[in-house]
Amino acid sequence: MPGLNRRQFAKLIGGTGIATATASMNSAGVLAQAAAPNVATGAKARIVVIGGGPGGGTLCHILRRSSPELDVTLIEIQKQYTTCFFSNLYLGGFRTLQSLTHDYTGLASIGVRIIHDRAVKVDTTGRKVELQGGSSVPYDRLVLSPGIDFKYNAIPGYSEAAETTMPHAYRGGAQSKLLGDQLAAMPDGGTVVLAPPPNPFRCPPGPYERACMIAHYLKTNKPKSKLVILDPKKAISKQGLFQQAFAEDYKGIVEFHLSNEIDNFALKRVDPATREIETMSGLKIKASVANIIPPQRAGAIAELAGCVEGDWCPINAENFASTKVPNVYVVGDASSAGDMPKSAFSANSQSKSVANDLESSLAGKPKYPARYRNTCWSMLGPANSVKIGSSYLAKDGKVTATAPFVSKPEDDAKTREKSYKESTGWYAGIVAEAFNKKVDQI
Ligand SMILES: Cc1cc2nc3c(=O)[nH]c(=O)nc-3n(C[C@H](O)[C@H](O)[C@H](O)COP(=O)(O)OP(=O)(O)OC[C@H]3O[C@@H](n4cnc5c(N)ncnc54)[C@H](O)[C@@H]3O)c2cc1C
């Protein structure tokens, strides 16, 4: 219904609620949403968002900017969010952690109510979120964007405590700093071990961009050192491009062990006290620095809310509504998003679809067909980046890639530099959207 203003829309719907009143399945197998205050009644519908990363932050920003008739609350544990995206560039010496750290004052300044607390329970019948601090927050619609948690015990010897000696650095901030500090303290001639997780996991090219950035740091600061990658997978994202960089730019530094029919480089056990690592195929290494990235699952609150099946949250491909719990949406890494990878770009794109769904159902805005996008850039060396991505549509109930693209190994230096500049523009853009904050494009 493009062109209708708020009053016209309220008249059109005859002053009745625009959402159905029960939480049952309709004939298409879609969970019906409960009634919520809307433009027709004049009361503000309460949207509560858990998680202020690129998924939750973007959603809060859009809703406050375009639908002041919605009441928007963000529940986020941390007062400052340090991005995982570009944290590899920190390890390579191309960014400071400070430049990757953002707070919530930008979102607060446009009227997002920010609660810095941990959500510990969701009462999906009474529609309220309970907080560690003891209070609870009622909602009409809840959006979960809690990111990932780790399956610490999946690797014998590893544990949550082990992340302080063998950092995964797969959460931004303290973990990235710890890995950076360990690399800085390592004597020249040391061995760094990087153990990527099995699929599916946050940022499929992330471990290999990291390998390039660590290798760049070693090449320029500690050239007698080496980096050994022990991968449980048989194939990886942008494989040809990364293998080209390892062979040409980081020859003699990177040793890349991808699993195959004979050798399985999944971890059999690790010892955080000695930093000894053993693979399933019997390779034993004593690491100077061990970057162990455990298998992953949806952030714990998604499980507590009843949204998880297996490790991730199934969603309706049209709008990222949970297929398990009414009145709840799941975006970002926690969702099971078909062909879309778990990335900040994806989380941001999915949030736009959720915003449209909320605004059309609760604020009288037009509803558009869901369209999603993703691009993941990876920095291989100075002004040298490659990319992979696609557009996506909801097709046969699944988020489906429609126009995939990937950089080519034969791309020239100019193309690689252009790709690097695109990535820095993207970083500035996503920070502006998720945190309502202007950052310089470096
Ligand atoms: C090394 C690395 C490099 C990456 N590079 C890129 C890249 O170049 N491009 C890209 O697009 N993506 C990249 N990513 C992936 C990207 O960081 C994630 O996909 C993205 O952050 C997911 O966003 P999200 O909103 O789903 O979750 P998150 O960003 O994890 O945000 C979740 C938030 O929820 C909060 N939270 C969790 N539980 C609760 C609770 N119970 N109560 C209150 N708050 C809670 C957390 O504190 C957190 O702030 C990279 C990731 C890594 C690790």
Side-chain angles (χ1 to χ4, degrees), residues 90-353:
Y90 160 71
L91 297 174
F94 295 96
R95 287 288 183 286
T96 62
L97 269 190
Q98 195 48 40
S99 72
L100 306 182
T101 302
H102 314 291
D103 65 22
Y104 294 92
T105 51
L107 292 178
S109 74
I110 53 168
V112 178
R113 184 180 307 110
I114 315 274
I115 300 175
H116 286 298
D117 204 338
R118 182 186 291 273
V120 289
K121 193 177 164 194
V122 180
D123 172 355
T124 53
T125 312
R127 282 192 273 151
K128 58 178 194 248
V129 178
E130 294 180 15
L131 304 178
Q132 196 163 43
S135 55
S136 64
V137 186
Y139 65 84
D140 293 304
R141 298 288 181 271
L142 176 66
V143 183
L144 302 178
S145 187
I148 56 162
D149 266 310
F150 297 98
K151 295 163 132 182
Y152 289 105
N153 299 329
I155 303 167
Y158 202 74
S159 62
E160 187 164 1
E163 73 178 28
T164 57
T165 43
M166 296 177 140
H168 48 74
Y170 240 61
R171 247 192 217 119
Q175 275 285 304
S176 304
K177 180 167 182 334
L178 182 59
L179 181 56
D181 289 349
Q182 289 190 353
L183 290 169
M186 184 183 84
D188 192 4
T191 300
V192 182
V193 171
L194 195 172
N199 291 323
F201 64 102
R202 155 177 286 185
C203 194
Y208 315 99
E209 177 188 58
R210 175 173 293 170
C212 291
M213 291 291 96
I214 292 178
H216 171 79
Y217 170 77
L218 298 179
K219 187 176 171 179
T220 47
N221 292 279
K222 298 176 181 177
K224 287 187 241 144
S225 310
K226 64 175 180 173
L227 168 66
V228 181
I229 307 169
L230 301 174
D231 210 308
K233 299 183 289 298
K234 291 182 180 161
I236 61 162
S237 172
K238 289 185 253 190
Q239 185 165 326
L241 296 159
F242 285 120
Q243 283 182 317
Q244 180 188 45
F246 298 158
E248 292 175 10
D249 302 333
Y250 304 117
K251 191 166 187 274
I253 295 180
V254 175
E255 214 179 89
F256 183 31
H257 296 287
L258 206 51
S259 290
N260 55 43
E261 298 310 326
I262 301 160
D263 284 317
N264 181 352
F265 293 102
L267 301 184
K268 184 174 177 195
R269 61 164 199 104
V270 299
D271 184 341
T274 59
R275 293 204 180 97
E276 279 170 344
I277 294 160
E278 185 178 349
T279 67
M280 291 294 183
S281 50
L283 182 64
K284 288 183 191 164
I285 302 179
K286 189 166 164 45
S288 317
V289 172
N291 175 206
I292 309 294
I293 311 173
Q296 297 160 22
R297 61 183 171 83
I301 192 66
E303 174 97 57
L304 295 170
C307 292
V308 170
E309 209 168 83
D311 289 324
W312 309 100
C313 304
I315 46 86
N316 178 339
E318 295 284 350
N319 58 6
F320 277 71
S322 166
T323 55
K324 291 180 67 84
V325 182
N327 311 307
V328 178
Y329 296 77
V330 186
V331 292
D333 288 357
S335 65
S336 198
D339 290 346
M340 287 187 96
K342 299 185 187 301
S343 75
F345 198 128
S346 295
N348 168 276
S349 175
Q350 293 155 7
S351 273
K352 292 173 181 171
S353 169

Side-chain angles (χ1 to χ4, degrees), residues 61-75:
H61 189 183
I62 296 175
L63 293 179
R64 281 308 302 162
R65 285 256 191 246
S66 59
S67 293
E69 58 273 67
L70 300 178
D71 183 82
V72 183
T73 300
L74 172 64
I75 302 171

Side-chain angles (χ1 to χ4, degrees), residues 51 54-55 76-78 81 84-85 119 145-147 202 332-333 343-345 426:
E76 165 57 53
I77 304 163
Q78 318 174 86
Y81 177 98
C84 275
F85 34 110
S145 187
R202 155 177 286 185
D333 288 357
S343 75
F345 198 128
W426 168 79

